[in-house]
Amino acid sequence: GAGVSQSPRYKVAKRGQDVALRCDPISGHVSLFWYQQALGQGPEFLTYFQNEAQLDKSGLPSDRFFAERPEGSVSTLKIQRTQQEDSAVYLCASSLSTNEKLFFGSGTQLSVL
Amino acid sequence: GESVGLHLPTLSVQEGDNSIINCAYSNSASDYFIWYKQESGKGPQFIIDIRSNMDKRQGQRVTVLLNKTVKHLSLQIAATQPGDSAVYFCAETHQAGTALIFGKGTTLSVSS
């Protein structure tokens, strides 16, 4: 596609629900990143894939967060048993390779009530 | 034009002024730096990048300056326009495929 696509654009969840956020990177981009952006803050790194391999998940805040990219293209970020502190915008970004500029999607705004 | 010596969260300028946004980065091993612009409700948009073997790079109306000695990065916007109003973030990374680390944003407000 022309850019990084994320869905849904908005997600409202009740505390304790599981959610799944989808990212379609730019076609051919090897690297895929997930970031979390709290209101008024800069994006914070969550996890990174190179093709289907998850090379770094050091930014995931708890074991309730899980990401996958099984075929090296589309990625899903799953949050289990959501908590209010999970409310944020979740941004996906892709790049041709590592250490290259990232192209970001518009994000999924998650609100946990 | 308006400029900031240290990082300030907001910068207000008049249309047509030159703007300078500063950023102090943390890792002396970082060798790749990017400026992003983020408008409300959108993801960060790439503006300009620079690698550590350079100290200046110019784009259309924008210039990035890198001072590795003091670990300082700046973004200069010439003839600032209302459409430049947004939050600006600097980001850094180094070799070995680690993630971009974002700095604190600066909100640029341009009045006409």
Side-chain angles (χ1 to χ4, degrees), chain A residues 17-72:
Chain A
Q17 276 185 329
D18 297 348
V19 298
L21 313 180
R22 177 187 169 104
C23 173
D24 283 86
I26 294 173
S27 178
H29 277 196
V30 168
S31 300
L32 185 146
F33 295 79
W34 284 98
Y35 282 82
Q36 180 190 59
Q37 187 172 26
L39 187 65
Q41 303 296 316
E44 292 198 357
F45 169 73
L46 293 177
T47 186
Y48 155 61
F49 291 86
Q50 186 168 326
N51 294 306
E52 68 278 3
Q54 189 174 19
L55 298 187
D56 188 347
K57 53 182 181 179
S58 62
L60 296 176
S62 77
D63 58 7
R64 296 186 295 104
F65 286 70
F66 172 77
E68 60 184 5
R69 193 187 186 196
E71 298 179 357

Side-chain angles (χ1 to χ4, degrees), chain B residues 2-110:
Chain B
E2 290 284 337
S3 68
V4 289
L6 300 175
H7 172 262
L8 292 178
T10 61
L11 177 63
S12 297
V13 302
Q14 289 286 113
E15 182 178 3
D17 282 354
N18 297 328
S19 303
I20 301 176
I21 300 172
N22 292 314
C23 175
Y25 63 93
S26 56
N27 190 344
S28 57
S30 293
D31 64 354
Y32 182 52
F33 306 88
I34 308 180
W35 280 100
Y36 282 93
K37 171 186 180 183
Q38 189 173 26
E39 297 173 288
S40 180
K42 298 183 179 179
Q45 176 188 358
F46 172 86
I47 301 174
I48 192 168
D49 59 358
I50 189 168
R51 296 194 185 270
S52 60
N53 59 352
M54 302 174 68
D55 53 20
K56 180 179 180 179
R57 191 165 186 219
Q58 288 184 295
Q60 187 176 17
R61 283 201 306 119
V62 295
T63 301
V64 55
L65 299 177
L66 175 63
N67 184 331
K68 295 181 288 293
T69 302
V70 295
K71 294 190 289 185
H72 184 267
L73 193 68
S74 69
L75 176 71
Q76 300 178 359
I77 305 173
T80 315
Q81 302 169 0
D84 296 327
S85 295
V87 180
Y88 290 80
F89 293 99
C90 64
E92 61 180 298
T93 189
H94 57 82
Q95 293 285 352
T98 54
L100 281 176
I101 304 300
F102 283 78
K104 298 177 182 178
T106 294
T107 300
L108 176 64
S109 298
V110 183

